[in-house]
Amino acid sequence: RIPQTGRLKESKITKRKMSFTSLEIPKEYGYVLFTCVIGPFISSFSMGVNVMKARKKYNVPLPNLYATPGFHKQADEFNRVQRGHQNFFETLMIFIPAALIGGIKHPIACAVHGILFSVGGYLYQLGYTDANSDVKTARHGKGGPLKFVGYFGAIGALASVGGTICGFW
């Protein structure tokens, strides 16, 4: 019961019953944690080191996220390094939960997806950084598409778990 105070009237709180199904984590799930959480951390850290080196090389001090064309002499070169890193963050917030949930049913596949995503993300940045290549294709020239194989693989594993829970298959 909620005590009456001031103008509030007593109200009844109803309890809802919830049932939980037990969840068995496969022993291989540890690989998912290593490759889908620690792996992206290492890749992101490595890409951040590349950005800091580029800041020094192209004279783009913090807190500037990007270089300003016309103000910074080699703005495009720096921005390509920074964009490669930022793109990793843009996909990371979907990848990690998808892989962690999908890995409950498909741990080995999601562990492989984690490796592809992390290594592919780093290669994506390396390709994007190559100023001698066309900006439209540079990010895909050095192995960057591996990132998307891992990304969409994790989303597929997540869909498989969702379909199983809903009884679709």
Side-chain angles (χ1 to χ4, degrees):
R1 303 180 107 196
I2 298 175
Q4 256 184 313
T5 56
R7 296 174 46 189
L8 296 176
K9 294 183 180 179
E10 185 176 338
S11 64
K12 295 180 182 176
I13 298 175
T14 59
K15 293 182 181 179
R16 292 182 179 224
K17 291 184 179 181
M18 297 179 74
S19 64
F20 293 95
T21 304
S22 66
L23 178 65
E24 189 174 319
I25 302 295
K27 65 178 183 171
E28 297 88 357
Y29 193 75
Y31 298 123
V32 176
L33 298 176
F34 283 122
T35 63
C36 298
V37 178
I38 297 171
F41 169 77
I42 293 168
S43 291
S44 179
F45 186 83
S46 300
M47 287 187 262
V49 168
N50 292 343
V51 171
M52 293 310 289
K53 287 178 182 178
R55 285 190 179 284
K56 186 174 182 176
K57 180 179 179 180
Y58 300 122
N59 195 26
V60 180
L62 288 168
N64 298 310
L65 186 59
Y66 290 101
T68 306
F71 181 78
H72 294 99
K73 186 177 178 182
Q74 294 174 299
D76 287 342
E77 289 85 349
F78 173 78
N79 288 343
R80 287 174 75 147
V81 177
Q82 179 69 337
R83 272 300 305 142
H85 192 208
Q86 287 298 311
N87 181 271
F88 192 73
F89 291 136
E90 292 165 5
T91 53
L92 191 61
M93 68 177 230
I94 300 296
F95 173 77
I96 289 179
L100 291 178
I101 295 168
I104 293 169
K105 184 176 178 185
H106 307 285
I108 300 299
C110 282
V112 171
H113 298 319
I115 293 167
L116 293 173
F117 180 80
S118 297
V119 171
Y122 187 80
L123 295 174
Y124 182 97
Q125 185 194 40
L126 286 182
Y128 214 160
T129 301
D130 185 2
N132 295 322
S133 299
D134 179 34
V135 72
K136 294 177 185 174
T137 58
R139 54 191 159 222
H140 305 297
K142 295 189 178 181
L146 290 176
K147 172 183 157 186
F148 296 104
V149 173
Y151 181 77
F152 289 113
I155 291 172
L158 174 63
S160 175
V161 171
T164 299
I165 290 170
C166 291
F168 294 156
W169 44 76

